[in-house]
Amino acid sequence: MIGRVLAFLRSYFAMLVVAGTFLWSAGAIVKYRAAQYPSDAIILRLGHWQLEASVREAIDEMAAEYRRTVNPKVYLVQDAIPEGTYGQWVSTQLMGGTAPDILQVGSMLPGNIWLSYYQRYFVPLGRYVERPNPHNDGTVHAGVPLRKTYKDGMKTAYVDEMQEYMSIPLAQFGSRVFYNKDLLKKLTGLDTPPDEYRAFLKVCEQIRAQKGDDGKFYVPIAGSGYHFGMMGGLMWEPLTFRAIEKADFNRDGSVGNDEQFVAFRTGRLDFDFLPYRARFKMIEELTRHFQSGYTGLTRDEAVFLFAQQKAVFMATGTWDARSLQEQAKGQFEVGVMRYPFPAPDDPFYGPVAPARPREQVGSGFQFGITRTSAHPEIALDFLLFLASRIGNEQLNRIIGWIPAIQDTETDPLLRAFEPNIVGIFGAMNFTLGGETVIKWGQLHALYQVGQITYDQFAKEYKPFYLERGLMDYREQSRDWRRGMHRNELFLAGIRARALFSEGAESNTEWIRYRALTANRQVWAELDRSRQLKLMEQGLEKDAVGPYEYKPEVLAAVKARILAAKETP
Amino acid sequence: MNGDSVARLKWGAALVLGLALSACAPASGPAAADPRAALIGGWQDFRLAEYDLATKAFSSALAGAAQGSDERIQALFGLANVWNLRRPGEDPDRARGYYQQVLQEAPGHDLAAWSDLALVRMQHVVPVGQEPDIKAVRAGYQRIIGTYPGHLASKEATIYLNASLIATLDPALTWQAVSNLTAFIGSGTREFRAPAWSLLAVSYQSLKKPRERLEAEIKAFENVEIDPANPFNEFAWAYWNIATIAEFEVGDFDLARGYYRRLIEEYPADVRVFPSKEALLRMDRVEAELRAGREASP
């Protein structure tokens, strides 16, 4: 008998060790979880990529609040996954059927992948957005449909290709200039920096003229390739706004790449155009105050410079606000200011800067509910709790972000993020595709590092653009029919839904089908033939600027004024 | 390695293989006995771009449906759509075959009109690098309009037909479109009325008739159909469009002011708010200059 046992052990020893270890691990986890949660607990798992300490802390606190005020059985387990691996992690969890109940969505994977995941693995939320959020009872939002309680009307949650709401957004984001208050005071004597552009440049000059304890000069602005784009959107790009008056031929309020090309080809626009010159001049003036070699640096390297108190200013977003505060704790105080911008009476920039730049604000930090969730209705209720007026305010106060819900209070540090929604915006569009885009990128990079002047840039780029532009445009728009086919496919699915629906739903589905057909399939051919005509033939001989009056229009206005004068 | 070990390994390998094969086994399709469920599942798969599953579901529905039944026609239509629109793996000939089968088996069925329209759309929306035989396409739309009067597919065909005429930018064909669209709107149809007015506006733009264009744009706006759940529905673009046509092409400053103001009031966060405010100031200035007998500065 003993011999047979020993023989069995000898034969299956490795397997027994593995099985034993597995059972021991499983037992340990069950015991640990049992000690953590009551036997009747409802455990929700929530996966996200926000590794900032304040985010995890806020979600835990809100879960405890939910348990205390709404449902004592609900416990939340967070899976905080680094950004770099979130995409792969989400994919394996969803495909393996082991995804958490709630997942942060919308980023870290390409849009088309998210679209396929939404379709396969997430619960559509359209039916809930027109209903009031029950956690808003007793507040100003009581009885108001969920989507109307959002600052942006819940647009971020809407997936156009599905015609569905797929997530609940919980925060808003914006970008500003952060500064080291103590260092600013020490180097300039100022408590707050000026947000008028010229005065800001003077402060930067003052800073870069001084050395730190290490004998190195201070850097006024911590920059990188990442920061360059962020600053440009709210500083130098809007200076091109006046190009709309010259080149927005279809008067849609923006300059398309075809319009830009035609304006250049017909001589209506050139690199001599003051708004373009101003854009490049501002880049040169500002990037002089970045650390040298900034174009090759990453975001983290710029943050490091700022945290080490070697730079005074740094552009970044609300997402970094609390962690910057944490890093500075005990060392220096962090301040937040608007992006500096020229005053309307600025002798050079004034004519091209009639107002401050307009800021586009959208919601983010959005969460979807997975189809494999054992408690989808509780997961939804928890998200609605976080999206309630009180809950959203509390969540964002702990994290240090801007609430996504209307009538909420914002953290005092973030009040400077209140967006300027009325203002000017960029109107320069050289992205015809192909060679012209590559050439633009190459020359722009040389300009950024001061290897060529603006005039050299213009002299080299313009002839190339005019010669290659039409070819690149044709190449880029060659597959316009592919877009029409995609729409055809999409509309077939929408029509099938309408064909299978009944009653009031049928009416809504058919309206949707007709509206989408009209928007997507009627205009492509028409727009293309008009664009091609514009690109190939240019403007008509007697054409005036898109925002100029023809003589006969002025005559009509004059006649009306005279008629009004004659009327007693 | 002794005989027992080999036997154990064989059993283990067989077990692993069995498990692997069971995991690879295709999911069973909808039962042929329930064609309706298979049709719903087929369209769901179609929307998920699971075309093989959709084909299987529609085939299953076809197998389970009685000859001459509604389900059979639906299944044929589903299969036609998959083979027509799937990428990759499309089979236009097979798709045409299924559409034709719908037309032959049930010419009076609701899906006959949609199948006929799909056949013309296949001629119109051709692959990249090819050009459609536009005369044949227009004849196809015209045939659908004549064969299925009052059907939504016929109204959709009217819109496509006239868009293709206007896209030529040829005055004679554009006038033909104006005539067609005026008749279409005059028929009292509610569906596709707004796009018909929009196409009329574009026609008048090509024909340099700004007053008529302005009126058509206003009518298009008044007749637009709205999907109530879509948060991106808004009229800011329509207001801006009407206002700028009124200001720069017609010189009707009062009308322009009205639409600029509506944009500012109803869409305070819209990108065009600042330009609208500038437009209000510009019109005041121009009027003041003209009143004072001066030339209006640009």
Side-chain angles (χ1 to χ4, degrees), chain A residues 493-509:
Chain A
I494 297 285
R495 186 179 49 213
R497 213 146 64 179
L499 285 166
F500 276 90
S501 58
E502 288 169 356
E505 192 193 345
S506 166
N507 193 32
T508 307
E509 293 293 348

Side-chain angles (χ1 to χ4, degrees), chain A residues 11-12 116 119-120 129-130 147 152-156 158 160 163 165 241-242 244-245 248 250-253 354-355 358 360 371 421-425 478-482 484-485 488-497 499-500 502 508 510-519 521-523 525-526 528-530 533 540 545-550 552-554 556-558 560-561 565, chain B residues 8 36 39-40 43-44 46-51 74 77 81 84-87 110-111 114 121 124-132 134 152 156 159-160 163-164 166-169 191-192 195 198-199 202 205 208 213 225-232 234 237 240 244-245 247-254 268-275 277-278 282-283 286-287 290-291 295-296 298:
Chain A
S11 301
Y12 293 99
S116 67
Q119 288 173 326
R120 286 176 174 78
V129 302
E130 295 298 336
R147 77 181 173 98
D152 72 343
M154 218 172 163
K155 284 182 179 174
T156 320
Y158 193 73
D160 195 40
Q163 299 288 299
Y165 291 83
F241 173 72
R242 289 288 182 215
I244 286 176
E245 290 163 9
D248 178 19
N250 64 3
R251 281 199 300 261
D252 64 354
R358 173 182 180 272
Q360 176 77 46
R371 287 182 190 222
I421 54 172
V422 178
I424 59 174
F425 46 90
R478 224 170 63 88
D479 65 347
W480 66 285
R481 287 191 197 279
R482 199 167 285 148
M484 282 189 78
H485 170 265
E488 208 75 0
L489 178 76
F490 169 73
L491 287 166
I494 297 285
R495 186 179 49 213
R497 213 146 64 179
L499 285 166
F500 276 90
E502 288 169 356
T508 307
W510 279 116
I511 288 175
R512 179 173 290 171
Y513 172 74
R514 291 194 295 269
L516 289 166
T517 302
N519 286 338
Q521 287 303 67
V522 178
W523 305 107
E525 198 167 14
L526 207 49
R528 171 162 163 91
S529 62
R530 294 166 96 192
K533 188 187 172 199
E540 290 172 4
Y547 294 91
E548 288 170 11
Y549 302 106
K550 293 175 192 159
E552 60 267 31
V553 169
L554 279 179
V557 177
K558 200 170 182 175
R560 190 171 44 77
I561 288 169
K565 263 186 188 172
Chain B
R8 274 200 300 274
R36 181 88 187 157
L39 288 170
I40 291 169
W43 280 111
Q44 175 71 11
F46 178 86
R47 280 188 290 268
L48 291 173
E50 298 282 8
Y51 301 118
Q74 298 261 12
F77 185 70
N81 273 280
N84 173 16
L85 298 167
R86 68 173 292 170
R87 297 289 184 280
D110 180 55
L111 291 179
W114 290 115
R121 292 298 285 163
H124 195 175
V125 185
V126 292
V128 175
Q130 294 179 20
E131 281 302 315
I134 201 70
L152 190 61
E156 194 175 321
I159 297 298
Y160 291 139
S164 86
I166 299 163
T168 60
L169 305 177
E191 296 94 351
F192 289 115
S198 284
L199 286 174
V202 177
Q205 185 186 9
K208 297 190 171 46
R213 179 189 176 196
E225 287 194 290
I226 291 290
D227 171 6
N230 188 333
F232 291 93
E234 53 179 44
W237 155 247
W240 172 262
T244 54
I245 296 169
E247 184 188 354
F248 292 104
E249 291 182 27
V250 179
D252 189 339
F253 283 10
D254 289 341
D270 189 81
V271 68
R272 301 175 196 91
V273 166
F274 180 74
K277 288 183 174 179
E278 281 203 318
R282 180 175 57 229
M283 287 188 291
V286 167
E287 281 182 341
L290 291 175
R291 267 195 203 99
E295 283 291 304

Side-chain angles (χ1 to χ4, degrees), chain B:
Chain B
M1 196 176 275
N2 61 25
D4 282 354
S5 301
V6 172
R8 274 200 300 274
L9 270 175
K10 278 181 181 169
W11 274 108
L15 185 66
V16 169
L17 189 65
L19 285 169
L21 286 174
S22 70
C24 293
S28 56
D34 187 1
R36 181 88 187 157
L39 288 170
I40 291 169
W43 280 111
Q44 175 71 11
D45 289 329
F46 178 86
R47 280 188 290 268
L48 291 173
E50 298 282 8
Y51 301 118
D52 290 339
L53 293 177
T55 307
K56 203 173 165 188
F58 288 132
S59 301
S60 165
L62 189 63
Q67 196 69 27
S69 68
D70 178 60
E71 282 82 4
R72 178 176 168 79
I73 302 304
Q74 298 261 12
L76 288 169
F77 185 70
L79 283 166
N81 273 280
V82 177
W83 290 115
N84 173 16
L85 298 167
R86 68 173 292 170
R87 297 289 184 280
E90 71 272 26
D91 188 338
D93 290 339
R94 205 187 290 195
R96 270 186 218 104
Y98 281 122
Y99 285 133
Q100 297 286 5
Q101 214 174 328
V102 172
L103 288 167
Q104 283 159 12
E105 289 190 20
H109 194 281
D110 180 55
L111 291 179
W114 290 115
S115 298
D116 220 347
L117 179 62
L119 285 167
V120 182
R121 292 298 285 163
M122 285 176 77
Q123 286 178 282
H124 195 175
V125 185
V126 292
V128 175
Q130 294 179 20
E131 281 302 315
D133 177 352
I134 201 70
K135 280 191 179 168
V137 168
R138 285 189 196 132
Y141 288 137
Q142 199 65 65
R143 183 175 43 75
I144 289 166
I145 294 165
T147 313
Y148 310 99
H151 195 284
L152 190 61
S154 153
K155 295 176 184 179
E156 194 175 321
T158 303
I159 297 298
Y160 291 139
L161 169 67
N162 290 292
S164 86
L165 291 172
I166 299 163
T168 60
L169 305 177
D170 174 80
L173 292 178
T174 308
W175 274 117
Q176 193 185 322
V178 168
S179 167
N180 293 343
L181 290 164
T182 307
F184 177 71
I185 293 164
S187 73
T189 179
R190 287 172 59 83
E191 296 94 351
F192 289 115
R193 196 178 175 84
W197 276 113
S198 284
L199 286 174
L200 261 184
V202 177
S203 306
Y204 288 132
Q205 185 186 9
S206 298
L207 297 167
K208 297 190 171 46
K209 297 211 161 280
R211 172 60 70 182
E212 287 81 353
R213 179 189 176 196
L214 178 63
E215 284 166 9
E217 290 286 8
I218 293 171
K219 289 285 186 190
F221 165 63
E222 288 170 352
N223 285 282
V224 74
E225 287 194 290
I226 291 290
D227 171 6
N230 188 333
F232 291 93
N233 281 326
E234 53 179 44
F235 300 127
W237 155 247
Y239 291 163
W240 172 262
N241 187 33
I242 293 170
T244 54
I245 296 169
E247 184 188 354
F248 292 104
E249 291 182 27
V250 179
D252 189 339
F253 283 10
D254 289 341
L255 187 74
R257 280 191 185 94
Y259 280 97
Y260 281 131
R261 287 193 182 118
R262 285 174 79 172
L263 191 154
I264 293 166
E265 284 160 21
E266 293 176 33
Y267 301 100
D270 189 81
V271 68
R272 301 175 196 91
V273 166
F274 180 74
S276 296
K277 288 183 174 179
E278 281 203 318
L280 292 173
L281 294 173
R282 180 175 57 229
M283 287 188 291
D284 288 349
R285 177 179 52 74
V286 167
E287 281 182 341
E289 284 170 348
L290 291 175
R291 267 195 203 99
R294 294 195 303 270
E295 283 291 304
S297 51

Side-chain angles (χ1 to χ4, degrees), chain A residues 158-178:
Chain A
Y158 193 73
V159 180
D160 195 40
E161 288 302 319
M162 295 175 69
Q163 299 288 299
E164 254 300 353
Y165 291 83
M166 295 305 297
S167 61
I168 305 274
L170 295 174
Q172 280 204 321
F173 299 99
S175 95
R176 286 288 182 273
V177 177
F178 288 64

Side-chain angles (χ1 to χ4, degrees), chain A residues 43 64 195 247 298 306 321 324 330 380 401 411 418 472 513 545 548:
Chain A
I43 298 171
D195 66 3
T298 63
F306 182 78
L324 278 179
L380 174 69
W401 288 350
D411 185 298
E418 201 57 46
D472 279 356
Y513 172 74
E548 288 170 11

